[in-house]
Amino acid sequence: MKAWSNIALGALCALACAGAQAQAYPNRPIRIIVPYAAGGAADITARVVAQKMGESMGVSMVVDNHGGANGGIGTDMVAKAAPDGYTLLVDASGPIVVNPVLYSKVPYDVVKDLAPISLLTSYQYVLVVRNDSPIASLNDLIAKAKAQPGALSFGSTGVGGGNHLAGELLALLTNTKMTHVPYKGSALALADLLGGQLSFMFDTIVTSVPHLKTGKLRAFAVSSAKRSSSLPQVPTMAEAGIKGFDIGQFQGLLAPAKTDPAIIARLHDEAVKALKDPAVAKRLGPDGGNEIIGGTPEEFSRQIKSELTMYGKLVKDANIKAD
């Protein structure tokens, strides 16, 4: 009986300590790992949201860039960090839902090692061609791809990049063969599209909009199930005739697994509050080519599991190899 009493007392003490920790949180600077170089989409999102969250919580939130391995190095750092709420992760789709199904081995288990806090933003791709392209429409593109298998080429940020996967999904859904040309960044691919070396591209909306406005590019469809608030006049792939096409990218806030649920809840509330700030919404919303989300941890968790399944099937069906 004495042994059981000691166990029960220990459990109560642990709960009390955890509760006290959550109530005192935060009492020192919080580090946010971004697994990419400074200046990219995830980095910008992290810095804008972190500044507003830090102001509200009364602590410094320091963004720390750790790129490499397609985002895997920084993601693994957070997966193995202490679950105390002082090391967080702002990550994109790649390391979370693509790397685990694209590579034979990754050093972290997304579902077991990370705790979703909030889906911050998402963005779609837009299928674009050069303005003087002989391809007149999406239906025309598909017809040409069927008539000349492999003749049409599309660029991407590299094997496993979101715009690469979008191109492969288009080929699978239309039973066509197209030639993928990987680049070290979307700017290089877009330059070759504008130069006439590529047939088409799934580009990020924010980088295509200036060329759409000047008439250098034409847009056929956006890659999401819903129209983009940045390009409301452009139909979705489904509206353009490709049913079942829905692919994009997200940026979300996560913590190490086993972080106190009370701390997760606090961080979620603060992140959502930050996203609702007019200055943040303007910086990250349609002007930045994004959709503001701010979903719950449970919603983010469900999306991660759903996309792991979706991308796993796509990578297998398209026979995509990265290692």
Side-chain angles (χ1 to χ4, degrees):
M1 287 297 292
K2 185 177 180 181
W4 281 110
S5 296
N6 288 338
I7 292 171
L9 183 60
L12 288 172
C13 287
L15 289 171
C17 290
Q21 179 190 28
Q23 287 179 0
Y25 178 85
N27 55 24
R28 55 188 169 90
I30 297 170
R31 182 171 67 148
I32 297 181
I33 301 293
V34 175
Y36 303 98
D43 179 68
I44 292 170
T45 298
R47 292 179 187 277
V48 172
V49 173
Q51 180 180 351
K52 189 58 62 175
M53 287 179 67
E55 291 172 1
S56 176
M57 298 172 79
V59 295
S60 297
M61 298 192 80
V62 181
V63 175
D64 195 357
N65 301 89
H66 286 273
N70 287 339
I73 291 176
T75 302
D76 188 48
M77 288 177 64
V78 178
K80 292 178 171 55
D84 56 10
Y86 290 98
T87 302
L88 306 177
L89 175 71
V90 168
D91 215 341
S93 301
I96 301 297
V97 296
V98 178
N99 286 5
V101 299
L102 185 65
Y103 296 98
S104 56
K105 290 184 179 179
V106 291
Y108 52 88
D109 184 311
V110 170
V111 175
K112 293 181 180 178
D113 297 338
L114 293 169
I117 297 171
S118 181
L119 186 60
L120 301 175
T121 65
S122 68
Y123 64 89
Q124 311 97 324
Y125 295 102
V126 56
L127 197 166
V128 291
V129 299
R130 207 167 85 155
N131 192 46
D132 59 357
S133 169
I135 302 172
S137 65
L138 180 57
N139 286 336
D140 189 33
L141 185 153
I142 295 165
K144 284 179 165 58
K146 288 183 175 180
Q148 295 180 287
L152 297 187
S153 60
F154 67 97
S156 80
T157 55
V159 174
N163 43 10
H164 170 213
L165 297 175
E168 296 290 358
L169 180 60
L170 176 61
L172 282 172
L173 291 178
T174 58
N175 195 28
T176 57
K177 181 177 175 57
M178 306 174 193
T179 300
H180 170 232
V181 184
Y183 290 80
K184 292 182 179 180
S186 60
L188 297 172
L190 183 59
D192 271 5
L193 177 66
L194 291 167
Q197 284 77 48
L198 295 172
S199 306
F200 70 96
M201 181 178 174
F202 281 94
D203 190 28
T204 57
I205 290 175
V206 68
T207 51
S208 275
V209 162
H211 301 293
L212 292 169
K213 288 182 177 178
T214 60
K216 292 181 180 179
L217 293 177
R218 282 186 286 125
F220 289 159
V222 294
S223 66
S224 55
K226 295 181 180 179
R227 291 198 181 198
S228 166
S229 58
S230 302
L231 289 173
Q233 75 280 11
V234 178
T236 65
M237 293 290 285
E239 289 173 333
I242 311 298
K243 303 301 181 184
F245 197 105
D246 183 11
I247 198 167
Q249 296 283 292
F250 64 68
Q251 293 156 358
L253 180 64
L254 304 99
K258 299 182 181 179
T259 299
D260 191 309
I263 291 177
I264 295 290
R266 173 78 189 281
L267 289 166
H268 166 263
D269 292 346
E270 293 290 350
V272 171
K273 185 164 66 173
L275 291 171
K276 290 180 178 179
D277 181 87
V280 172
K282 179 174 176 58
R283 179 71 178 85
L284 298 180
D287 287 355
N290 299 305
E291 308 293 331
I292 301 291
I293 309 296
T296 66
E298 294 76 19
E299 289 168 339
F300 192 11
S301 178
R302 285 195 295 270
Q303 178 160 341
I304 288 171
K305 292 174 182 176
S306 173
E307 292 197 13
L308 281 169
T309 300
M310 184 270 287
Y311 281 115
K313 184 177 187 305
L314 174 56
V315 165
K316 180 180 179 181
D317 291 349
N319 195 28
I320 300 170
K321 304 292 184 182
D323 57 2

